[in-house]
Amino acid sequence: MDADPQAEAPRAGVGERLEQAIEHHADVAAEVARGERELEARERKGHSWRRTAVWLGVGAVSLYLVAPSVIEAFGSWRQVEQVSPAWLAVMAALELAALACLWLVQWASLHGARWQPVIASQLAGNALAKVAPGGGAMGSALQYRMLVAAGLSPSAVVAGLTASNLLVFSIVLALPVFSIPAILRGGVQHDLLNAAVVGLVVFAIVFAVGALLLTSDRALVWVGRAIQAVRNRLRRRAEPVRTLPQRLLSERDRILATLGPRWKRALAAALGRWGFDFACLLAVLKALNHLPRPALVLLAFCAAQVLAQIPLTPGGLGFVEAGLSATLTLAGVPAGTAVLATFVYRLFAYWLQLPLGLVGLGLNVRPTRHQGLPPPR
């Protein structure tokens, strides 16, 4: 019997964990299969206690390492009263807009899907992924179950979720690269208008570059070779990557084959998913009257999103709080304000999205027994 890759994951380093996260986004079929095994194991009493104990142990150790940051962040909840109700409403609206963009990406990727199962499955799967140890796979499996139960074919669900995952995840990996020129430029006024302008310019450039890479083999091959060279230089002890350009071409063709003429709409929505989320962080800092250089905020935001993809804890809990508060402090936000800003941002981007999972289950008005569902292909 093959070893479970999830069981080996805790021994991997951070670099390897990030590469595994990228692989999981690119191979939804395998991710769903892992999640199905986890869900079915939990449904058979006592079957998965060893694996659960391993993941709980890893999560406990990981949380212990970042416990000071987590405790400090939660200790700032009493100071939320510093944020006016109007700004809290703005933050909630921005996070809702970010979710709506994600729904649009998945709807565009799932041809023939109705809005209700797309929204319901995303909310439920997202909530499960944020709370279960190693929950990314289980969240994907739950969404797969709900979409197939709603009448979509298994192959269409796997293809659609793969295309949307790749598109959304590739953007958050690209954003730090495009924030570097703005950081080097410097001299930008620290106000909300300039922050919004910088964000719009960066996201517009990412859209243009994304459109180019989706339509040009030569540009995508060049980018693949550059990333491959940097990766092999940074991870000299790991097995060198030799076929990344060809892999990128294959994944790009898979995305285009799935999206068809909807690719421009999906690309814009994927950018909106992160753009509205970034705007929420800007709103938090503006509400606290401590808005540093926008490009540095963008870099802090991207670092937090990458940390969230390394599942040492569910949803990156603890690591995102530690990383975001630290990078905001480096960006010029006073330490106490950075901790409070991190707590308020995570309140909307993480904690308040957990009860939305119940909303997703409630929208799934006619659930179907999953035991009869065919496996992902």
Side-chain angles (χ1 to χ4, degrees):
M1 181 181 294
D2 293 338
D4 187 345
Q6 290 283 3
E8 297 179 2
R11 296 198 294 269
V14 172
E16 187 175 350
R17 295 282 292 181
L18 182 56
E19 290 188 11
Q20 289 175 354
I22 296 173
E23 287 292 332
H24 294 167
H25 280 80
D27 192 357
V28 170
E31 186 79 340
V32 169
R34 281 191 294 271
E36 288 284 356
R37 291 196 298 271
E38 293 287 344
L39 290 172
E40 290 172 1
R42 281 159 176 75
E43 291 165 359
R44 293 194 295 270
K45 185 178 179 181
H47 180 81
S48 61
W49 69 268
R50 290 187 180 87
R51 186 177 301 169
T52 300
V54 168
W55 274 112
L56 289 176
V58 172
V61 172
S62 301
L63 283 174
Y64 174 78
L65 295 175
V66 293
S69 298
V70 177
I71 294 172
E72 190 176 16
F74 275 95
S76 63
W77 71 270
R78 300 178 189 275
Q79 303 175 47
V80 173
E81 63 184 14
Q82 297 180 23
V83 183
S84 70
W87 274 115
L88 292 175
V90 168
M91 297 166 201
L94 289 170
E95 283 299 329
L96 181 59
L99 283 175
C101 287
L102 185 55
W103 299 335
L104 178 55
V105 176
Q106 295 191 352
W107 174 83
S109 304
L110 296 164
H111 294 279
R114 293 177 292 110
W115 280 104
Q116 181 174 322
V118 171
I119 295 172
S121 64
Q122 190 279 324
L123 290 176
N126 179 58
L128 180 59
K130 288 181 182 297
V131 297
M138 285 190 287
S140 297
L142 178 60
Q143 186 170 18
Y144 168 83
R145 287 181 175 186
M146 293 176 69
L147 288 170
V148 173
L152 278 74
S153 71
S155 59
V157 171
V158 170
L161 293 181
T162 300
S164 61
N165 283 0
L166 285 173
L167 200 57
V168 171
F169 190 59
S170 61
I171 288 174
V172 79
L173 292 179
L175 281 176
V177 177
F178 293 97
S179 67
I180 291 175
I183 294 172
L184 296 177
R185 178 172 175 265
V188 179
Q189 296 180 4
H190 303 180
D191 60 62
L192 189 59
L193 177 61
N194 280 286
V197 169
V198 169
L200 286 174
V201 169
V202 170
F203 280 91
I205 293 173
V206 173
F207 180 86
V209 173
L212 175 64
L213 296 179
L214 285 172
T215 55
S216 171
D217 289 357
R218 179 177 299 181
L220 188 59
V221 168
W222 182 87
V223 169
R225 288 173 178 168
I227 295 175
Q228 180 173 277
V230 171
R231 183 269 180 196
N232 289 339
R233 177 166 295 186
L234 291 176
R235 301 197 63 206
R236 296 178 184 273
R237 296 183 180 181
E239 182 71 21
V241 175
R242 297 184 176 88
T243 61
L244 183 59
Q246 293 76 18
R247 174 75 182 277
L248 291 179
L249 287 173
S250 175
E251 299 296 347
R252 188 276 312 272
D253 291 343
R254 179 159 58 156
I255 291 174
L256 291 178
T258 301
L259 292 173
R262 296 180 175 183
W263 70 265
K264 292 180 182 179
R265 188 186 313 177
L267 177 60
L271 281 164
R273 184 264 177 272
W274 297 115
F276 285 115
D277 199 15
F278 173 61
C280 181
L281 179 58
L282 289 179
V284 172
L285 294 169
K286 178 61 179 177
L288 295 174
N289 295 315
H290 283 287
L291 185 63
R293 288 173 52 191
L296 294 177
V297 179
L298 180 59
L299 192 60
F301 169 79
C302 294
Q305 303 311 319
V306 172
L307 285 172
Q309 305 303 320
I310 305 175
L312 291 174
T313 57
L317 180 63
F319 288 89
V320 174
E321 282 75 9
L324 184 57
S325 59
T327 48
L328 286 177
T329 302
L330 292 175
V333 180
T337 303
V339 172
L340 177 58
T342 298
F343 173 77
V344 176
Y345 167 71
R346 289 286 278 174
L347 178 65
F348 288 95
Y350 181 89
W351 293 106
L352 290 181
Q353 294 191 20
L354 299 183
L356 290 180
L358 298 177
V359 175
L361 293 176
L363 289 174
N364 191 37
V365 291
R366 297 192 64 181
T368 303
R369 289 178 61 84
H370 68 270
Q371 287 88 345
L373 298 182
R377 297 191 295 272

